[in-house]
Amino acid sequence: MNKIRDNQEWANLLNALNGGFVSSGLGADPAYADVLPTGMNFYGANPKKMPTKAAWETAKKIADQLLNDYYKKHGKFPETIGMIMWGTELLRTDAIAIAEFLYILGVQPEWNDNGDVQSIPKLIALENLTINIDGVTLQRPRIDVFTTAVTGNEIWINLMNNAVKLAAEAPGETNDQNYVKKHLSENGSLDRVFGLRGLVLEGTGISDLVPNTSKWGTSNELASVYLSRVSYAWRTTDNGVSIQQNRNTFQYLLGNMDLVTQTIDSTWRLLDTDDYYDWFGGMLLASQNLGGNPDAILADIRNKNNVITRTVTEEVELEMRSQLLNPNYQDSLLGTASGWMEYASRYENLFGIQATTGCVSNQMWTLAAQNLLSDRFTATTDFQAYSTQSMLGWVIEASRRGMWQADPQLLTSLKDKYMELVNEYGVSCCHHTCGNVDFNQYMVVGSSLSTAQLQQFAGVLYAATGEAVSVGTTGQTGQVGQSNGPTNTGQTSSTGQTSGGSSSPGTVSPGDVSVAQETSTSAEQGTTGEGNAYEVSEAGQQSSGQSSMPIVAIVGVLILVGLVGFGYFRNSILGFFKR
């Protein structure tokens, strides 16, 4: 048989080189598809055959495991599940996620003899919807499910819409047996496939806004962008797919969502890209802002014979320990300039995950911060300095917003290292550094650097951005206004620091902040040494904070401004302070 196949491959190769016709055949991923390329003129995927029978069997395992986990935790089945689907992932896996969508509804695909999937699926009898939990077989209800689907494939959209309609019309079932029916009676719409307003290559808006830290203050702002962008229902009509905004139903489903899930089928994971916090994080955040409290579960399907489900918190910790904090992983990236930039992007994505899901524990933030103080991040080149500044910026910004309850001494070390790098190499102008004046004002709070070093930092920043940072007469290691520990109130204190714990994503609304100098002569007044402490105050206190600034500091700033105005800029300023 192998000899015949080899002969056919050679014959097809010679035929193709002679300009002849070679029959086409599927050349999909053998890990998921029943395919072995044999010299055919292959194509990568055939959506007409998706989900395949093999994908269907895997999808049932995934759905059962998700329901098993939820039932063990809550003692009941979820009523509503939200799913995130990406077109490339569907193609790679023969549409496992779509099969999962159908099975949750209690509907199964129907295949033609040639393997094509029929547009109208088949209803699974309610008595056949069973699940084994700790050796006990239970009958489960039809569970409502909706998705944000990054695909415009009409075949898939029709299949999912038809499945929802079939489940809603299941005869003789009560609302307790059929949650699709229950929610239809409450909301009146069967829209369950949502996405962007059309076939556009853009995200939810979350990943565009989060890095621009000066442009948003609360999670409500992020959720609002998400809801406005993704609340378009993709409906099946006789004339093709119709796209109409249905924010009312989308918000109803999000507010009542019990579980949000997404499959991970490759090594491309949460910290590797902003797409996960853009879509998965966006759905979770929007649900929480609408009063929901869903479980957040990721299904690792890289081995279809051993599906692993993890909470987002567990997944983030796994990725941080196995990659971000792993010396071998670090060495693989930190040998080149592009590797440094790639490694630094993981810190940005870590911040994005926290801003949208609140799943990064205080311990993991501390480890991520301590990592940046190690010898590996002693910059000797400009690209190393700029990458390290960016990473330091993300952990410090997490502290500023109350996402991370930092140890005061650790936070001081981070700020000092950041400003020392700026003074030596210049500022790395990222959205969250140069572009955020409040961040730079927060940077000088509690620093242990000398007045000259702080003024040098202010000068370099002003030369790059034209924005002035107010500094006092001395540095300080004390953290006035820094929260001493996490609470769950989620309220913003008068100093601009949140009192919310790390489990609350984006709870802080920093607003405009300034540095107000407070005179203190003892550690009991909030300092750890002699000199002045610095406190972050709200914008309303800005004028009083600035008016209390020492004359010496004001004169110093004016001198720096004058130097810049006469054209000395960065090199001249640095040379002035080094002298």
Side-chain angles (χ1 to χ4, degrees):
M1 185 68 182
N2 289 336
K3 186 175 181 180
I4 295 175
R5 186 173 66 230
D6 292 340
N7 291 336
Q8 184 63 47
E9 290 174 357
W10 279 110
N12 286 346
L13 175 60
L14 294 174
N15 187 23
L17 293 174
N18 287 325
F21 172 77
V22 177
S23 299
S24 61
L26 184 62
D29 185 347
Y32 295 106
D34 296 327
V35 59
L36 183 64
T38 57
M40 308 293 283
N41 183 15
F42 66 86
Y43 49 89
N46 185 355
K48 292 182 179 180
K49 301 184 184 301
M50 299 180 187
T52 62
K53 293 181 180 179
W56 171 249
E57 294 302 321
T58 300
K60 290 192 292 183
K61 294 177 183 178
I62 299 170
D64 282 347
Q65 192 157 328
L66 290 171
L67 297 179
N68 202 307
D69 292 345
Y70 189 92
Y71 190 92
K72 286 181 178 179
K73 180 178 178 180
H74 299 280
K76 61 179 182 179
F77 293 108
E79 287 195 17
T80 307
I81 296 178
M83 296 182 65
I84 293 87
M85 300 182 191
W86 294 337
T88 51
E89 166 238 316
L90 293 172
L91 289 171
R92 287 195 304 264
T93 64
D94 280 351
I96 283 178
I98 293 177
E100 188 182 339
F101 182 97
L102 269 59
Y103 185 64
I104 290 170
L105 289 168
V107 174
Q108 72 178 43
E110 289 275 84
W111 292 274
N112 294 330
D113 292 341
N114 65 353
D116 288 356
V117 178
Q118 298 179 13
S119 61
I120 305 297
K122 176 183 178 182
L123 195 69
I124 301 174
L126 194 62
E127 58 268 22
N128 293 331
L129 291 178
T130 60
I131 185 172
N132 187 288
I133 299 178
D134 291 336
V136 179
T137 300
L138 301 177
Q139 181 177 317
R140 70 165 178 88
R142 296 191 196 280
I143 297 169
D144 203 354
V145 60
F146 70 103
T147 183
T148 56
V150 189
T151 176
N153 190 292
E154 186 175 340
I155 296 173
W156 293 339
I157 294 168
N158 289 346
L159 179 62
M160 288 188 284
N161 282 331
N162 290 338
V164 172
K165 185 174 184 292
L166 191 64
E169 296 173 349
E173 296 178 2
T174 66
N175 287 350
D176 291 334
Q177 297 171 321
N178 188 327
Y179 293 139
V180 184
K181 279 190 174 183
K182 177 182 178 181
H183 299 157
L184 179 61
S185 67
E186 294 174 354
N187 175 261
S189 172
L190 285 179
D191 287 338
R192 296 297 185 270
V193 180
F194 292 88
L196 302 174
R197 66 185 184 277
L199 293 175
V200 289
L201 294 175
E202 56 188 32
T204 71
I206 295 270
S207 62
D208 295 321
L209 186 55
V210 165
N212 287 274
T213 52
S214 65
K215 304 298 184 183
W216 63 278
T218 68
S219 60
N220 290 334
E221 297 170 67
L222 299 177
S224 178
V225 170
Y226 175 87
L227 290 170
S228 68
R229 294 279 289 273
V230 194
S231 54
Y232 288 85
W234 290 57
R235 300 168 180 166
T236 299
T237 71
D238 293 338
N239 297 320
V241 175
S242 170
I243 303 173
Q244 300 291 331
Q245 191 168 33
N246 186 356
R247 184 159 175 166
N248 177 63
T249 297
F250 192 49
Q251 292 187 165
Y252 167 82
L253 294 167
L254 287 167
N256 290 280
M257 183 171 65
D258 300 304
L259 172 65
V260 55
T261 186
Q262 183 173 4
T263 57
I264 298 179
D265 69 301
S266 70
T267 56
W268 200 47
R269 307 183 80 78
L270 268 63
L271 298 184
D272 295 325
T273 173
D274 59 10
D275 289 329
Y276 281 107
Y277 77 77
D278 195 32
W279 289 93
F280 185 90
M283 179 179 282
L284 177 58
L285 179 65
S287 175
Q288 292 171 337
N289 275 263
L290 291 168
N293 186 30
D295 290 358
I297 306 294
L298 295 160
D300 188 334
I301 64 170
R302 287 177 296 173
N303 182 349
K304 66 180 181 180
N305 297 316
N306 183 29
V307 175
I308 300 173
T309 53
R310 300 186 186 94
T311 66
V312 187
T313 299
E314 292 170 340
E315 177 64 29
V316 169
E317 182 166 348
L318 173 66
E319 292 185 31
M320 289 185 67
R321 292 188 182 278
S322 63
Q323 298 181 11
L324 197 68
L325 305 176
N326 183 345
N328 292 332
Y329 181 84
Q330 292 172 344
D331 289 342
S332 68
L333 287 179
L334 300 182
T336 63
S338 61
W340 272 81
M341 303 302 175
E342 185 68 22
Y343 184 86
S345 70
R346 269 66 174 172
Y347 272 80
E348 177 180 342
N349 294 330
L350 180 68
F351 182 89
I353 287 289
Q354 174 70 355
T356 54
T357 70
C359 71
V360 185
S361 68
N362 217 61
Q363 177 193 18
M364 298 314 298
W365 271 116
T366 298
L367 291 175
Q370 291 172 338
N371 178 51
L372 297 177
L373 298 177
S374 69
D375 292 340
R376 289 177 182 273
F377 299 95
T378 301
T380 57
T381 65
D382 54 359
F383 67 81
Q384 292 173 349
Y386 299 148
S387 298
T388 304
Q389 281 182 44
S390 177
M391 292 183 282
L392 287 166
W394 288 119
V395 295
I396 294 170
E397 179 68 4
S399 170
R400 187 180 80 87
R401 289 176 175 269
M403 296 177 178
W404 167 43
Q405 301 297 327
D407 173 78
Q409 291 184 344
L410 174 58
L411 186 58
T412 293
S413 298
L414 296 169
K415 291 180 176 182
D416 289 351
K417 181 170 184 176
Y418 178 89
M419 288 188 284
E420 287 170 343
L421 287 171
V422 169
N423 289 348
E424 183 175 357
Y425 290 94
V427 65
S428 173
C429 277
C430 307
H431 288 108
H432 66 298
T433 54
C434 278
N436 191 337
V437 177
D438 297 341
F439 165 84
N440 290 294
Q441 286 281 200
Y442 179 67
M443 187 64 64
V444 300
V445 176
S447 170
S448 65
L449 298 182
S450 67
T451 301
Q453 289 173 303
L454 293 176
Q455 290 176 338
Q456 183 180 358
F457 169 74
V460 175
L461 187 68
Y462 186 87
T465 67
E467 298 287 349
V469 172
S470 302
V471 298
T473 56
T474 62
Q476 190 56 245
T477 57
Q479 295 295 323
V480 178
Q482 177 71 17
S483 174
N484 293 323
T487 65
N488 57 10
T489 61
Q491 300 298 315
T492 304
S493 69
S494 61
T495 62
Q497 283 293 328
T498 185
S499 56
S502 62
S503 61
S504 300
T507 56
V508 175
S509 178
D512 296 325
V513 297
S514 63
V515 175
Q517 182 184 8
E518 299 291 340
T519 302
S520 174
T521 58
S522 71
E524 294 177 331
Q525 290 176 292
T527 67
T528 59
E530 296 181 358
N532 299 318
Y534 301 97
E535 182 174 297
V536 178
S537 60
E538 292 185 356
Q541 300 172 334
Q542 184 172 359
S543 59
S544 63
Q546 290 177 339
S547 63
S548 64
M549 188 182 300
I551 298 299
V552 174
I554 295 175
V555 172
V557 172
L558 291 176
I559 291 174
L560 292 175
V561 172
L563 288 172
V564 173
F566 280 103
Y568 284 91
F569 293 99
R570 176 175 177 271
N571 291 333
S572 297
I573 294 171
L574 290 177
F576 173 78
F577 282 112
K578 287 179 179 178
R579 291 196 297 270

